[in-house]
C-alpha cells in the first residue's frame, strides 16, 4: 500500500499517524485509517470553511440548514415543521426553538396551513430568502476553492466513491 509504505516518506498527517500505529500495533490492520481519518480531517476543514461562509452572512450553520431546506422546497418556500424535522434531523423541541429564533430575526414566519386549520407552515420571508441565497452563493465559492485544484474527472470519481461509502452508513 503506497500511502503507508514504510519505505516511503509520509505525504500527509494521516500517513504519519498510520505509519506510527502500524509500527506500534503491527498486529492490527490499520488500513481503514487511510480513508476514514482523511474523511474526518476533511470534515473538520469543511466545517470551519462553511462556518466562515455562513458567518459572513450573519448565520449559524443550523440557521442556514433550516433556511436552505425551505429554499429548496421551491416557491412559496414553506414547509411544515414536521417536514423540516425530516430535512434537518433534529427533535421537535429543537425545531420549535429554531423556528422561534429565525422568526425573531425576521427570516421566517409561521403561516396557517391551508389544508389543516390546526396546522402551521413555516415560510421564508423576503429577508430570509435573500440571506439564504447570498450565503449559498458564498458557500459554493468557498467549496469550489477547496476542491478547485482537483481535475474534474477526479472530483466526479471522488463524489462517486463518497456516495458509495455514505450509502453504507445511510442504509444502517
Amino acid at each position: 500500500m503506497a500511502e503507508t509504505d514504510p519505505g516511503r516518506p509520509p505525504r500527509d498527517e494521516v500517513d504519519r499517524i498510520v505509519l506510527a500505529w502500524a509500527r506500534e500495533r503491527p498486529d492490527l490492520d490499520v488500513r481503514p485509517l487511510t480513508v476514514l481519518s482523511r474523511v474526518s480531517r476533511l470534515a473538520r476543514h469543511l466545517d470551519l470553511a462553511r462556518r466562515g461562509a455562513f458567518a459572513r452572512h450573519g448565520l449559524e450553520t443550523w440557521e442556514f440548514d433550516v433556511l436552505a431546506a425551505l429554499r429548496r422546497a421551491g416557491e412559496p418556500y414553506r414547509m411544515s415543521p414536521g417536514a423540516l424535522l425530516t430535512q434537518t434531523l433534529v427533535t421537535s423541541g429543537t425545531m420549535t426553538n429554531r423556528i422561534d429564533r429565525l422568526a425573531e430575526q425576521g427570516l421566517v414566519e409561521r403561516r396557517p396551513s391551508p389544508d389543516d386549520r390546526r396546522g402551521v407552515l413555516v415560510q421564508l420571508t423576503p429577508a430570509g430568502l435573500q440571506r439564504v441565497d447570498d450565503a449559498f452563493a458564498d458557500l459554493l465559492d468557498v467549496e469550489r476553492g477547496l476542491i478547485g485544484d482537483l481535475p474534474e474527472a477526479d472530483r466526479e470519481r471522488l463524489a462517486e466513491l463518497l456516495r458509495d461509502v455514505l450509502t453504507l452508513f445511510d442504509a444502517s
Side-chain angles (χ1 to χ4, degrees), residues 115-137:
D115 302 326
D116 177 2
R117 289 188 302 168
R118 294 174 296 150
V120 74
L121 296 173
V122 180
Q123 182 170 339
L124 280 177
T125 63
L129 178 63
Q130 185 66 55
R131 183 90 59 96
V132 72
D133 279 353
D134 291 347
F136 184 58

Side-chain angles (χ1 to χ4, degrees), residues 21-40:
W21 276 119
R23 181 190 66 237
E24 295 300 315
R25 291 297 310 267
D27 57 311
L28 297 176
D29 177 6
V30 297
R31 287 179 295 177
L33 293 175
T34 65
V35 173
L36 299 177
S37 290
R38 286 186 175 95
V39 169
S40 177

Side-chain angles (χ1 to χ4, degrees), residues 14-118:
V14 173
D15 284 340
R16 285 185 273 286
I17 291 168
V18 170
L19 284 170
W21 276 119
R23 181 190 66 237
E24 295 300 315
R25 291 297 310 267
D27 57 311
L28 297 176
D29 177 6
V30 297
R31 287 179 295 177
L33 293 175
T34 65
V35 173
L36 299 177
S37 290
R38 286 186 175 95
V39 169
S40 177
R41 293 174 70 83
L42 180 60
R44 282 182 280 192
H45 287 292
L46 182 57
D47 183 56
L48 290 172
R50 285 181 162 190
R51 286 176 189 269
F54 301 148
R56 286 190 288 280
H57 299 278
L59 294 173
E60 297 287 335
T61 300
W62 68 265
E63 292 171 313
F64 178 83
D65 289 345
V66 174
L67 297 176
L70 292 166
R71 179 63 169 99
R72 288 190 310 267
E75 281 199 74
Y77 312 117
R78 65 181 173 204
M79 299 172 76
S80 70
L84 281 169
L85 289 174
T86 302
Q87 292 275 320
T88 59
L89 303 174
V90 298
T91 67
S92 176
T94 298
M95 182 54 66
T96 298
N97 185 4
R98 289 179 176 187
I99 293 167
D100 289 345
R101 290 175 62 185
L102 290 167
E104 288 170 10
Q105 295 177 57
L107 300 175
V108 302
E109 58 189 9
R110 287 181 173 89
R111 299 245 190 202
S113 172
D115 302 326
D116 177 2
R117 289 188 302 168
R118 294 174 296 150

